[in-house]
Structure formats: C-alpha cells, structure tokens
Amino acid sequence: MKFPAFAVATAVIAGLAATAVAAAEPVQNVDPSRHGNIARAQELSRQAYDALTAAQNANEVDMGGHAANAKSLHAQAKQEMKLAALAANKH
C-alpha cells in the first residue's frame, strides 16, 4: 500500500512544479516596430523556453532541476529585455 501513496504524492508534487513553471512562462511584450532587435531576442528566448519544455516532456524527468532553472532564467531575461526597451524609450 505504500507504493500507491508514493505515486500519488509524486504526481501531486510534479503537478505543483509544472504549475509553478507555467506561471513563469516568458511573454512577448516588446513592440517589434519600435525595438525590432529586442523583440527578436524575446522571440528567440521563447523558442528556447519551448525547446526546454519539449526536452523535459521527452525525458519525463526533471533533469535535476536544471531545465526548470533555465526556464526561470529565460523568463527573467525576457523581463530584462522589456525593461531595456522601456529605458530606450526614454532616449
């Protein structure tokens, strides 16, 4: 009887982790007509994020947390790109 409880707990934890990562998904929020290079960088970052998601799904493991960490860093990078575009708007 311990195995089913372990399986349920593992599934719950995996679901919570997936929800946390999904909440951190990067967004495309730079206007390409004003900041084409930054918008392109955001798009490339999104493609990398999606490739990491595909790798996680294909491997069916968390990859030691490294893929999830990389995805979080992509979300942070996209926010910095947005801030860069806003700063450029001031000049």
Side-chain angles (χ1 to χ4, degrees):
M1 282 303 202
K2 289 183 180 181
F3 178 75
F6 175 75
V8 171
T10 301
V12 169
I13 290 169
L16 291 173
T19 301
V21 169
E25 282 190 34
V27 295
Q28 182 76 29
N29 59 6
V30 171
D31 182 358
S33 66
R34 293 192 71 181
H35 305 290
N37 292 324
I38 296 173
R40 180 71 178 135
Q42 274 196 333
E43 175 57 31
L44 291 170
S45 180
R46 178 60 198 210
Q47 289 175 16
Y49 182 95
D50 291 343
L52 286 165
T53 300
Q56 285 177 307
N57 292 338
N59 288 296
E60 298 178 358
V61 296
D62 69 358
M63 295 187 233
H66 298 291
N69 188 36
K71 288 168 70 172
S72 177
L73 291 171
H74 274 283
Q76 291 175 27
K78 283 191 132 181
Q79 180 60 31
E80 290 297 326
M81 289 178 227
K82 175 63 175 182
L83 293 173
L86 291 173
N89 290 342
K90 294 179 182 179
H91 298 286

